[in-house]
Amino acid sequence: MGITDIFTKTLSRKLIAMFLILGLLIIAVVGYLSYTNAEKALEEQALHAMSDYGGQIENIVVSDIQASYNELLAMALDASFSDHTDLADTTDTIKDNLKNSGFEELLLIDVSGKVIASSFSSEIGTDKNNDPLFTEAKASSKI
């Protein structure tokens, strides 16, 4: 009994074969549609989760930068810096404040771009006039 026998025998066998083929076809179409809908929903859910996570990371970074800025501003306004006239003493004060600040390096730069005090002695006397951070700060009247 081969496949062709199913379609050539009785009417009941023919109907069973047709309903079986039709049922399998419907199941395949419904399965494919369900799969594509689930795939799209999972992609949207993942994108939404990544977007939320990105927003959280952005908030953390911005708050850390703001905290560092506030700490640096407090150090800049500290009278202990303005009371020093000796560069070596100023450098020592910078190093002491830097230990607990979370910054790696702190520079005191005059308006011409020359480093007059630094937490790294090798930086003292170097010219930062062409440094992008210095030129941006000078252009924005923050100096």
Side-chain angles (χ1 to χ4, degrees):
M1 177 168 119
I3 294 265
T4 55
D5 289 340
I6 293 174
F7 295 106
T8 58
K9 295 284 182 183
T10 65
L11 182 61
S12 62
R13 280 193 177 179
K14 288 179 184 179
L15 286 175
I16 290 173
M18 287 299 166
F19 284 131
L20 185 61
I21 292 171
L22 186 60
L24 290 175
L25 184 62
I26 290 172
I27 289 172
V29 169
V30 169
Y32 175 75
L33 293 175
S34 296
Y35 173 78
T36 56
N37 286 340
E39 181 182 34
K40 186 185 286 187
L42 287 173
E43 284 177 358
E44 288 175 7
Q45 184 180 9
L47 182 62
H48 183 69
M50 287 189 302
S51 177
D52 288 347
Y53 185 68
Q56 291 172 357
I57 295 296
E58 179 183 6
N59 290 339
I60 290 169
V61 169
V62 167
S63 67
D64 283 351
I65 289 172
Q66 186 64 44
S68 296
Y69 172 78
N70 291 339
E71 189 174 332
L72 187 59
L73 185 61
M75 286 172 46
L77 297 174
D78 188 351
S80 63
F81 283 111
S82 60
D83 293 344
H84 295 288
T85 55
D86 180 35
L87 286 181
D89 193 28
T90 303
T91 301
D92 290 339
T93 303
I94 288 173
K95 286 180 181 178
D96 290 341
N97 282 296
L98 197 60
K99 288 177 187 173
N100 299 322
S101 70
F103 293 99
E104 286 186 30
E105 181 179 14
L106 189 61
L107 302 171
L108 183 59
I109 303 173
D110 67 9
V111 293
S112 68
K114 182 180 177 185
V115 177
I116 56 174
S118 173
S119 55
F120 292 119
S121 302
S122 61
E123 289 288 328
I124 296 175
T126 59
D127 185 16
K128 299 288 184 181
N129 191 35
N130 294 324
D131 188 275
L133 290 175
F134 179 77
T135 56
E136 286 177 27
K138 193 170 183 178
S140 67
S141 302
K142 292 185 179 184
I143 294 182

